[in-house]
Amino acid sequence: MPFYEVVTVMATLFCIIYFFYRRQCCKHPILTDYPILGMLPQPLFNLWRIHDFVTEAMKRIGRTGEFTGPWFTNMDYMVTCDPFNVHHMLSKNFHNYVKGPEFREIFQAFGDGIFTADSDTWKYNRSLFHSLFKNNTFQLFLENTIQQKVQNCLLPVLNHVQQQGTVVDLQDVFNRFTFDNICSIILGHDPNCLSIDFPEVETEKAFNEVEESIFYRHTTPKCVWKLQKCVQIGQEKKMTQACKTFDVFVHACIASKREELSKWTKDQMNEQTHVDLLTILMREHQNQQEVVHDDKFLRDAVFNLFVAGRDTITSALTWFFWLVATNPLVEKKILQEIKHNFGGKVGVLSVEDVKNLVYLHGAICEALRLFPPIPFERKQAIEDDMLPSGHSVKKNTIVLLSLYAMGRFEDIWGEDCMEFKPERWVSERGGIVPEPSYKFMAFNAGPRTCLGKDLSFIQMKMVATAILCKYNVQVVEDHVPMPSLSIVLLMKDGLKVRITKREA
């Protein structure tokens, strides 16, 4: 027998044996496992609707299953949307499930910030930001910043659009609003993205491209995107350029802030007007004569806070306004609640004011349940474990938690789970119905629960009341929103609407 025939026979036997070995190891397959390609073809063909595709797959096999990628690519995952498994991993057995080195490699742009860190680095970051967010001076600064941005920029832009009678991308408006807001809150610098001429801001665009590239790394074998990164082609080239653009912007802000602080007197150091987060981080250790927060730490902190306080809010507001605009009865009840609490004339509400809006709070929770800004969470097991569902998790296994799918299971949220129903969050006594975080995971769960949860609700309520009281938001005909391919659940083509004055 010729040598090439021997090689062919041996290769064929190896493939057959390996194929059945994989089948044996994968006891709970989510999809059909093809030779060589694994289960990857089906998600790729359905990438344009990937979150709904995953939801449908999970409903067929139950709340938990296994995904195997192409052979020898290390793209094998456990996938779950079971609240009891989530509670086990994120709370009860928290220390066994970490972000891990692979996560940090994929999310390289995040650096060593709070979202990618584990162990002592994570504890330090969390403790630091917890103290900053609880600072009364900072909370007052945050409230004033949001109120001024809504009053002086958001409403005038919408009023201009209404007068022109043009179609506007409301998601783009929110993108600009949150970018200006987060820059002001974190850096003490307002880039003025939100204005009637809708200027193109290179940094804001670069930030979006980074997030899209990170999603791409999740859907591509590591060897492929690593090669693209090495030779600087395709999506990886975009990511490198985008990171450079963002880093130049942030480092310029850091350098400017350092120079500004170096000129301050002791009295100026104690003034309560300078309370953006970057100033606080620098000022604390300048007062203590310690050099702890170097430029890299500050850059990573800024990037992580941008993700937490910018795109997540944009996503939540965009889906909320689409849901409200397409559910007029809900809109009517929100307006009735506002009128009941504040009468006919409503300006930009304060933090204390928005706490009284229970039905609005429920409507925002419903939007977050159906369209969580971060649609999936990724964890890695340190040691072997057994999930409450009975599924075995081997050491180093990557576990994907589908928040999007979790909000669409009837046995979790009831037969009406696909309905936009704020009433499910309002008790008979008129209070908020508390749902456990492992069931309603929009703000994560366990020790890693989002520190900015309350601040996020405050901002969304202030924006929602300011817009709804003054304007009707009408989605243009035939506009079908589709989730974008990004780590944040934005609308692919934006939210195209017409703005009209609301009659008194």
Side-chain angles (χ1 to χ4, degrees), residues 317-418:
L317 285 172
T318 302
W319 291 105
F320 167 80
F321 271 93
W322 175 71
L323 288 165
V324 170
T326 53
N327 289 271
L329 185 58
V330 170
E331 181 183 46
K332 183 179 178 181
K333 289 183 178 180
I334 291 173
L335 292 170
Q336 286 175 342
E337 180 181 54
I338 295 171
K339 187 174 182 180
H340 173 75
N341 279 276
F342 307 108
K345 294 183 179 180
V346 179
V348 182
L349 299 181
S350 68
V351 170
E352 289 304 314
D353 288 337
V354 298
K355 289 179 181 178
N356 298 318
L357 301 175
V358 175
Y359 188 82
L360 175 60
H361 188 99
I364 293 173
C365 286
E366 270 293 85
L368 293 171
R369 177 183 71 83
L370 289 167
F371 299 100
I374 307 297
F376 64 92
E377 178 70 70
R378 175 185 170 125
K379 293 290 183 181
Q380 184 171 10
I382 298 177
E383 300 292 343
D384 292 355
D385 193 21
M386 181 67 72
L387 298 178
S389 60
H391 294 78
S392 175
V393 179
K394 298 297 183 184
K395 180 181 178 179
N396 293 326
T397 296
I398 303 297
V399 185
L400 297 180
L401 315 177
S402 177
L403 285 64
Y404 185 93
M406 192 183 296
R408 286 164 164 72
F409 264 71
E410 292 184 2
D411 57 348
I412 298 175
W413 291 99
E415 293 182 0
D416 58 356
C417 65
M418 296 304 296

Side-chain angles (χ1 to χ4, degrees), residues 46 63 69 106 132 142 192 225 260 269 272 289-290 295 299-300 317 324 340 394 417 425 448 464 477 482 494 500:
N46 290 275
R63 299 175 182 175
I106 291 175
L132 294 180
L142 180 82
N192 293 311
W225 66 258
E260 181 186 344
M269 279 286 185
Q272 295 188 348
Q289 295 183 337
E290 297 176 9
D295 284 6
R299 179 265 171 212
D300 293 346
L317 285 172
V324 170
H340 173 75
K394 298 297 183 184
C417 65
W425 296 90
R448 280 189 178 263
E477 242 181 281
M482 292 296 297
T500 58

